[in-house]
Amino acid sequence: MIQKFSENKEQTLRLFPVEHKSVELSFTGDRISSDGGLLLLREVNRQIGLIERISDCISDKRDQRYIDHSIEELVSQRAYQIAAGYEDCNDSNELRQDQILKTCVGRLPQTGMDLGSQPTMSRLENNVSWRDLYKIGEALVSHFIGTYSSAPNVIILDCDDTNTNTYGDQQLTLFNTYYHDHCYMPLHIYEGLSGKLITTILKPGRRSKQSDVASILKKLILHIRKQWPKTQIIVRGDSHFASKDLMNWCDTSAQKVGYITGLSGNSKLKSLAEVTIKSAEREFKQYGKPVKRYHSFMYKAESWASKKKVVVKVEVSALGSNIRYIVTNLTQFKARGLYEKGYCARGAAELRIKEHKLYLKSDRASCTSFKANQFRLFLHSIAYVLMHTMQKELFKGTELVNATFKTLQNKIIKTAAWVKEMKTKIKIEFPKFCPTKELQTKSFQMLGMLVT
């Protein structure tokens, strides 16, 4: 049984004794932070300059005489809080005096002014303009391009959208029959080979119209193409990314952009694949073992400008026949390789969306304004880029290089730290028996050498 009593106006808890000694607990350790690992993210950002670049995109219309927190400080605070698992603006109230967070933002941990509160964060979210948002989107893409020391031979644009359920009067929220709820449908675009985030775009709660998909991807591809004129660009997505406008543009474009997307089945496609389907069904009936077959053929829908290569995958088992189609202009590759190594690899994008949505809580779109919710999505995207960079660059060759963001939060970010601000320095101590002591030490040493 836990008993409570008052001591020096601070609440103290008395726990069960250990070897006949009483145990007392109180939340009075004011020099202790539970998120010491954020210092690694701070050093990562110092190398890549992402937060500064994003902050420069936001026009500050406030009266400078009455400002306590700069735009860069507010963006930093929210991005680091999100990375540590604090997804709500409300968390800012309790973390204003956190000494590690203050250090990461650039303020002295003890004598520096407290960080922004929830109302301050809400004002920031609601004051961002459409022009600011467009510039932030461009900055994210430019940062992605800048992560390469030279133009890559090929990049894959993995595109997918996901639901962000809404529970209030948010602008442009719509009822989605597939998810049986009111939601937004943000579009996520990652580089398929590296997992790097390219951009995230908030959309109303319906599947993207094919013309809208084509417009977004055309602008993105042309922006990338200006920097990398010779890079092979391949667009990959499921069936609702099989846009006739995009495919026709890719086929006729001087840049010759590749695509490989899912394709919804119909009676014509089934007729063209009938020989493969019946052959697989006969083989299963004869031997009783699961059968998988691939076949490719040329096909032209009425709205398409020309015939395109379609690959059919036929799986027959005790559960029945499973028939899937993809369409592509990568005609030089064989059917099996296109499907298994080309198309199926897009499943990695779903894992990246999971990191973004589940572990960084990017589905918290609780602002009334659509603009504010888009800005929130960008803030979570900043946190994704910092976490992904830390994982793939600092932890290369370790067991954490392919770990989930949740594991990184638990093992790295959630490291207790004791902070003391002295006359000439700031002293920070991590636990002597920290399980990731060696890994974090090497990471800080590596970043320290880059600074010098």
Side-chain angles (χ1 to χ4, degrees):
M1 180 176 180
I2 298 179
Q3 297 178 337
K4 301 178 182 179
F5 62 92
S6 177
E7 182 178 325
N8 297 328
K9 298 183 180 181
E10 293 287 349
Q11 186 182 66
T12 303
L13 305 177
R14 178 174 293 168
L15 308 184
F16 289 108
V18 176
E19 293 188 2
H20 307 295
K21 291 187 178 182
S22 63
V23 179
E24 295 181 357
L25 179 151
S26 64
F27 287 87
T28 55
D30 59 349
R31 294 184 180 180
I32 301 173
S33 172
S34 59
D35 300 302
L38 285 177
L39 292 169
L40 267 180
L41 281 190
R42 172 182 179 265
E43 297 305 308
V44 169
N45 180 68
R46 284 174 59 84
Q47 295 299 321
I48 65 178
L50 177 63
I51 291 177
E52 292 79 359
R53 175 179 286 189
I54 298 298
S55 301
D56 288 342
C57 297
I58 303 172
S59 54
D60 192 352
K61 301 177 182 177
R62 301 173 297 174
D63 190 327
Q64 301 299 309
R65 294 174 298 173
Y66 306 106
I67 290 177
D68 292 329
H69 309 90
S70 69
I71 295 293
E72 184 177 326
E73 287 175 332
L74 294 175
V75 173
S76 298
Q77 181 183 347
R78 280 285 279 137
Y80 291 132
Q81 285 179 192
I82 291 168
Y86 306 110
E87 71 274 13
D88 282 329
C89 282
N90 293 339
D91 296 314
S92 299
N93 291 334
E94 300 299 327
L95 296 169
R96 295 183 68 195
Q97 298 178 343
D98 185 277
Q99 297 185 55
I100 288 294
L101 194 57
K102 289 174 70 175
T103 303
C104 289
V105 170
R107 296 198 168 186
L108 293 174
Q110 290 173 287
T111 60
M113 184 183 297
D114 289 349
L115 301 178
S117 62
Q118 180 271 326
T120 302
M121 291 298 177
S122 294
R123 285 193 293 271
L124 171 67
E125 292 173 342
N126 286 280
N127 285 335
V128 175
S129 67
W130 284 113
R131 180 175 178 80
D132 295 339
L133 292 174
Y134 186 83
K135 290 165 66 177
I136 292 172
E138 281 193 326
L140 282 173
V141 177
S142 297
H143 170 77
F144 160 74
I145 294 172
T147 60
Y148 293 83
S149 57
S150 60
N153 293 326
V154 60
I155 62 169
I156 299 175
L157 306 186
D158 267 337
C159 312
D160 206 354
D161 47 23
T162 183
N163 65 308
T164 291
N165 291 345
T166 55
Y167 303 99
D169 295 325
Q170 289 97 322
Q171 293 177 343
L172 300 181
T173 181
L174 299 173
F175 185 82
N176 190 297
T177 55
Y178 181 83
Y179 293 104
H180 305 289
D181 212 334
H182 287 81
C183 64
Y184 289 126
M185 290 291 291
L187 172 64
H188 291 242
I189 304 178
Y190 300 87
E191 200 290 304
L193 300 176
S194 64
K196 296 176 181 179
L197 177 81
I198 300 177
T199 193
T200 49
I201 302 171
L202 193 66
K203 301 188 291 78
R206 62 170 180 265
R207 281 289 190 181
S208 302
K209 293 181 180 179
Q210 291 190 348
S211 58
D212 294 339
V213 170
S215 177
I216 292 170
L217 290 176
K218 285 178 187 178
K219 290 179 181 178
L220 176 60
I221 291 169
L222 289 174
H223 184 81
I224 296 174
R225 184 61 78 198
K226 288 180 182 178
Q227 305 297 322
W228 297 334
K230 297 182 180 180
T231 296
Q232 172 69 48
I233 301 175
I234 300 173
V235 177
R236 185 165 62 185
D238 60 18
S239 59
H240 73 279
F241 288 92
S243 163
K244 65 179 180 64
D245 295 334
L246 179 64
M247 291 191 293
N248 292 338
W249 180 78
C250 290
D251 289 338
T252 59
S253 171
Q255 289 87 8
K256 191 64 177 178
V257 176
Y259 57 83
I260 177 168
T261 69
L263 184 65
S264 299
N266 56 44
S267 58
K268 178 63 175 178
L269 288 171
K270 188 173 183 180
S271 174
L272 292 171
E274 186 175 7
V275 173
T276 304
I277 296 171
K278 288 186 175 180
S279 174
E281 289 175 342
R282 281 197 303 268
E283 183 176 335
F284 174 75
K285 187 175 181 180
Q286 182 176 358
Y287 298 105
K289 297 180 179 179
V291 179
K292 182 187 295 185
R293 294 279 179 84
Y294 295 93
H295 179 57
S296 64
F297 50 84
M298 301 303 293
Y299 167 75
K300 180 183 179 303
E302 291 184 3
S303 60
W304 295 357
S306 60
K307 288 186 175 182
K308 306 183 191 304
K309 183 173 182 176
V310 172
V311 174
V312 59
K313 181 195 73 170
V314 181
E315 286 185 291
V316 184
S317 66
L319 299 176
S321 298
N322 181 23
I323 305 169
R324 294 287 184 269
Y325 304 93
I326 62 171
V327 59
T328 181
N329 62 353
L330 305 176
T331 56
Q332 68 271 35
F333 300 105
K334 294 183 179 180
R336 186 186 188 96
L338 279 170
Y339 199 98
E340 292 186 348
K341 296 181 179 179
Y343 180 71
C344 289
R346 63 169 290 275
E350 297 179 3
L351 297 178
R352 289 156 191 154
I353 291 176
K354 181 179 179 181
E355 304 272 28
H356 202 292
K357 180 179 176 181
L358 183 61
Y359 302 138
L360 297 180
K361 309 294 185 183
S362 63
D363 59 348
R364 301 304 292 263
S366 52
C367 294
T368 300
S369 165
F370 186 83
K371 285 190 300 182
N373 285 320
Q374 171 65 82
F375 180 59
R376 277 197 172 195
L377 183 61
F378 280 149
L379 288 171
H380 289 267
S381 296
I382 295 171
Y384 178 95
V385 173
L386 293 177
M387 292 286 284
H388 185 268
T389 304
M390 178 178 70
Q391 179 186 39
K392 299 303 181 182
E393 299 298 330
L394 290 185
F395 302 151
K396 185 183 297 183
T398 73
E399 69 277 9
L400 295 181
V401 70
N402 292 316
T404 66
F405 282 5
K406 187 64 177 177
T407 298
L408 295 182
Q409 288 172 341
N410 290 340
K411 291 191 173 184
I412 302 296
I413 302 297
K414 297 299 179 182
T415 301
W418 181 85
V419 184
K420 186 175 182 180
E421 181 184 329
M422 307 172 77
K423 186 175 182 179
T424 59
K425 63 183 177 181
I426 298 170
K427 187 175 182 180
I428 300 174
E429 294 185 15
F430 280 10
K432 185 175 182 180
F433 301 105
C434 175
T436 56
K437 174 182 176 181
E438 183 178 352
L439 178 60
Q440 293 203 57
T441 299
K442 289 181 178 178
S443 298
F444 280 117
Q445 289 174 342
M446 184 189 308
L447 291 166
M449 288 189 295
L450 293 174
V451 172
T452 56

